Amino acid sequence: MPSIELKNICKYVCREVNLTINDREFLVVLGSNGAGKTTLINVIAGLVDYQGSVLFDGVPVDRLPANKREVGYLFQGLVLFPHLDVVANIAYGLSAREWSPSRVEARVNELLDLMNIKHLASRYPRQLSGGEKQRVALARAIAPSPRVLLLDEPLSSLDAQTAKYLRTELKQLQRRLGVTTVYVTHDLMEGVAMADRMAVIHDGRVEQVAEPERVLFYPHSERVSDFIGAPNILDCDYYRDLGQGIVEVGCGGLKLTVPHDGGHVSKVAILPRHIYVSETRPPGLSVNGFQGTITAIKPAGNTVRIWIDVDHNKLMAEVQSYIFEEMNLDVGKEVFIILRMRRIRCYEGSAD
């Protein structure tokens, strides 16, 4: 499978984009709506004209039309043909490539087994759940054995539980196929869960490319930090393994219980939206629960950011504006907070 190199790509919002995607890598392109994410993968696929150059394994493919680039593309809207059953949808691209009927049948059966959808073979899209449609659309995208797989927010329309399950399946499938994959999303935690590396894009420019933990713990710019949610980063003084994937860490006087299966924890991070704020002492406060003093309050779009001093640690929480309006909060007031354990991320490395 090829490495992909984008050189000085200009198209719509994208300006002078340079990006390298490694062979067999799962790269997540992360950014807000309108940042240029879909434009970039359309450029890779050859679906739009552009300035600059796209190289597969060092060879320019700019003159190759989309149907010659050996790229599989799963669009956000899936675009399953409503008048075709599952088998015909998967086979559609293969027949268009003039595969023999016997070869098409063998490949479709292979994919039905691979995606665990053999029982859906004769159903039509209207008879499928959201997750089932995703599996069929993915089977169709990988049917021709593409060298590159492009995925444009494929899980955005699914409920949280289905999306979580399919993320795991998709990651395992990508490893199994060994296909170079570019996955577009605006969801930070989805990117963190899936990526080998993440490319954060803002206003058509790549702001940072790094492993998920480094993006989260060491954002390169204020734009990256603001986009990922201005995480609270705490240095750890000690850590103690409690077993069963749980460790205790000490962070400047705060004793936290966090999920972690690795080695020594040097830092932890939690996003402001994952800190629960209460005017009264909530039940279960003993687990990552603290009392602190509000030092600042600032509106931020549809949310309100609240800075809280907890044992000389400055933490920022974020609540929806309509919730804040129902609370009686002001600077200097004592509040209770809970750092949601399952949302805390751990980091083992250093900044070097």
Side-chain angles (χ1 to χ4, degrees), residues 1-314:
M1 302 298 170
S3 61
I4 304 169
E5 188 175 0
L6 306 180
K7 286 188 173 182
N8 302 318
I9 296 297
C10 295
K11 180 65 177 181
Y12 302 136
V13 69
C14 295
R15 295 163 288 174
E16 299 294 324
V17 171
N18 292 279
L19 179 64
T20 298
I21 302 142
N22 299 322
D23 176 31
R24 301 174 185 267
E25 180 174 36
F26 196 115
L27 180 87
V28 169
V29 178
L30 182 70
S32 57
N33 292 334
K37 307 184 300 296
T38 298
T39 296
L40 277 189
I41 59 173
N42 284 341
V43 166
I44 294 172
L47 296 176
V48 294
D49 295 328
Y50 55 88
Q51 293 178 306
S53 187
V54 178
L55 298 90
F56 288 0
D57 278 341
V59 179
V61 296
D62 307 303
R63 294 175 181 265
L64 287 180
N67 63 345
K68 299 293 184 182
R69 292 196 182 188
E70 298 182 82
V71 168
Y73 199 136
L74 182 55
F75 295 90
Q76 184 174 358
L78 301 184
V79 202
L80 292 176
F81 298 111
H83 63 291
L84 299 179
D85 64 15
V86 167
V87 166
N89 262 285
I90 297 172
Y92 183 84
L94 304 179
S95 301
R97 287 171 170 79
E98 300 184 350
W99 284 31
S100 68
S102 60
R103 188 182 176 197
V104 170
E105 182 181 6
R107 180 58 173 161
V108 170
N109 285 330
E110 179 185 355
L111 290 166
L112 291 174
D113 286 335
L114 180 65
M115 302 302 297
N116 296 314
I117 54 174
K118 201 157 195 171
H119 61 293
L120 306 175
S122 60
R123 294 189 191 177
Y124 288 82
R126 67 180 179 276
Q127 299 171 309
L128 304 176
S129 69
E132 290 168 346
K133 289 178 182 177
Q134 291 290 348
R135 289 185 177 88
V136 175
L138 182 57
R140 186 177 64 181
I142 64 175
S145 300
R147 302 170 69 207
V148 172
L149 182 60
L150 307 175
L151 306 166
D152 189 4
E153 305 219 34
L155 308 180
S156 60
S157 62
L158 301 178
D159 64 86
Q161 192 61 35
T162 303
K164 180 179 179 180
Y165 181 73
L166 285 180
R167 279 201 301 267
T168 303
E169 275 197 350
L170 181 55
K171 184 68 174 180
Q172 291 172 346
L173 180 64
Q174 189 265 345
R175 285 283 179 263
R176 195 172 181 182
L177 298 176
V179 61
T180 304
T181 300
V182 184
Y183 185 103
V184 162
T185 185
H186 65 275
D187 187 323
L188 169 66
M189 300 318 292
E190 184 173 89
V192 168
M194 301 186 76
D196 295 326
R197 288 188 305 154
M198 293 197 303
V200 182
I201 184 170
H202 176 80
D203 284 345
R205 297 187 185 278
V206 176
E207 294 285 340
Q208 184 173 1
V209 183
E211 293 77 17
E213 288 75 14
R214 291 195 65 83
V215 172
L216 187 61
F217 284 89
Y218 297 102
H220 275 189
S221 67
E222 187 175 339
R223 286 185 291 271
V224 174
S225 180
D226 283 345
F227 173 73
I228 66 177
N232 296 282
I233 310 293
L234 302 175
D235 292 316
C236 297
D237 308 315
Y238 75 87
Y239 101 110
R240 182 165 64 93
D241 190 350
L242 302 179
Q244 298 184 326
I246 302 295
V247 299
E248 178 185 281
V249 296
C251 305
L254 298 182
K255 184 187 293 184
L256 298 173
T257 303
V258 301
H260 187 58
D261 285 321
H264 178 79
V265 180
S266 60
K267 293 177 181 287
V268 296
I270 185 166
L271 298 178
R273 64 177 180 267
H274 295 149
I275 296 179
Y276 173 77
V277 180
S278 175
E279 298 172 80
T280 58
R281 185 183 184 91
L285 185 65
S286 58
V287 180
N288 295 344
F290 306 95
Q291 188 171 3
T293 305
I294 296 175
T295 59
I297 297 174
K298 182 179 179 182
N302 295 324
T303 65
V304 176
R305 290 180 171 179
I306 305 168
W307 282 264
I308 303 165
D309 189 329
V310 183
D311 291 335
H312 306 294
N313 288 278
K314 303 291 185 183

Side-chain angles (χ1 to χ4, degrees), residues 340-351:
R340 294 186 171 100
M341 183 177 71
R342 293 293 170 186
R343 296 295 189 174
I344 300 174
R345 305 289 300 187
C346 297
Y347 187 74
E348 296 181 31
S350 64

